[in-house]
Amino acid sequence: MKTLLLFLMLTAAAALADLPVFSSPFFVQAGGSDLVVSGSVPDPCVVDWNGDGLKDLVIGQFSEGKVRFYQNSGTNSNPEFTSFTFLQAGGSDITMSYG
């Protein structure tokens, strides 16, 4: 019984040691201002969209069904975003149904 209790305590301690540690929250900025997607429920994704080795920001807009692309002009550890463009296909903004 003591062996089982010791095993459970060690297992719990090991599991707690692997818990993630989060930093304080912060607002992502674009062009020096907090990034705000007005009138929308944003759905962000961090991905190297254009294949340049830097993680970009792609945000789906729920209320308009469009997809914003913010290119990273900084580094992966210190990203910098300026303005956005809407993702396009065939010269038109990509739109998805929403709601």
Side-chain angles (χ1 to χ4, degrees), residues 24-83:
S24 298
F26 61 92
F27 288 100
V28 175
Q29 293 196 332
S33 299
D34 292 346
L35 195 149
V36 177
V37 181
S38 299
S40 180
V41 178
D43 187 11
C45 179
V46 177
V47 63
D48 179 11
W49 185 260
N50 57 1
D52 63 359
L54 299 174
K55 300 215 176 180
D56 305 306
L57 187 58
V58 178
I59 301 177
Q61 293 184 196
F62 178 78
S63 64
E64 295 179 27
K66 294 184 179 184
V67 182
R68 291 182 177 203
F69 169 68
Y70 291 85
Q71 182 173 344
N72 181 0
S73 58
T75 65
N76 283 330
S77 59
N78 190 23
E80 292 183 26
F81 305 107
T82 53
S83 60

Side-chain angles (χ1 to χ4, degrees), residues 1-8:
M1 181 69 169
K2 288 182 180 179
T3 305
L4 178 60
L5 182 59
L6 179 59
F7 172 76
L8 291 174

